[in-house]
Amino acid sequence: VIALLAILLGWFLGQRTARPVHEATENLQSAAASLKLLATHQESSASEQQWVVDACKTGLDSVRYLADAMNQASRRIIDASNWFGEYWDKLTDEQARRTVAHLQELARYVDEAARRQNVSSDRLGKAITVTTQVSDQLVGGASAAKRSADQLEVIVGDLQRVVGGKTVE
């Protein structure tokens, strides 16, 4: 009878002790699943952000190319206006003045547009740098979350083996 009472008491105390551990392992398992889901979403976001960064880089290359082309065009217009200034005696005075003034006006316009485009490309470059840094942080966070979830699963499995519950696969 005493042995039976000891067995029943041991079983009862074991169940009372194991129940919170079982509940804790189930909560940890749920947390690990949530953490893995978060890591998956972060990886997806990081991939999408990386695509945006690549697109911005392509845009920046285009802006820089156009800025350089406009700078070259403005220099050519200035050179042409200087040439017209040298040979203006072959044109009527009014034609020569209007031609030179018009070319100089166009050159100033293209030069100002190129300057603004250079400023914009510098800003775009800075934005890409910041976006790249954020993207790298996202990737690092996603990797850390995945490692944490994997470690959490190992801990849950260890706890479940200790208390004799179901095991995580």
Side-chain angles (χ1 to χ4, degrees), residues 90-122:
K90 293 188 171 110
L91 303 172
T92 66
D93 288 343
E94 183 59 29
Q95 288 175 327
R97 281 189 205 100
R98 279 188 301 180
T99 301
V100 169
H102 183 66
L103 285 173
Q104 287 173 336
E105 181 182 327
L106 287 173
R108 284 189 294 274
Y109 173 80
V110 170
D111 193 49
E112 177 63 17
R115 186 193 64 75
R116 289 181 184 204
Q117 194 164 20
N118 280 326
V119 168
S120 294
S121 69
D122 288 343

Side-chain angles (χ1 to χ4, degrees), residues 14-111:
Q15 287 296 318
R16 273 194 76 148
T17 304
R19 188 177 311 125
V21 175
H22 280 291
E23 290 173 2
T25 57
E26 288 175 9
N27 289 339
L28 283 172
Q29 194 171 9
S30 174
S34 296
L35 195 55
K36 269 196 168 180
L37 183 63
L38 172 65
T40 301
H41 288 301
Q42 279 186 322
E43 286 173 339
S44 174
S45 295
S47 296
E48 290 171 6
Q49 188 168 6
Q50 192 60 47
W51 179 85
V52 171
V53 168
D54 290 341
C56 287
K57 285 179 182 177
T58 301
L60 177 60
D61 290 342
S62 176
V63 165
R64 286 182 176 157
Y65 171 80
L66 291 173
D68 183 56
M70 285 199 307
N71 281 328
Q72 289 179 19
S74 69
R75 280 189 228 109
R76 288 181 182 159
I77 291 172
I78 291 169
D79 290 344
S81 68
N82 290 337
W83 180 84
F84 277 117
E86 289 179 24
Y87 295 100
W88 75 300
D89 58 333
K90 293 188 171 110
L91 303 172
T92 66
D93 288 343
E94 183 59 29
Q95 288 175 327
R97 281 189 205 100
R98 279 188 301 180
T99 301
V100 169
H102 183 66
L103 285 173
Q104 287 173 336
E105 181 182 327
L106 287 173
R108 284 189 294 274
Y109 173 80
V110 170
D111 193 49

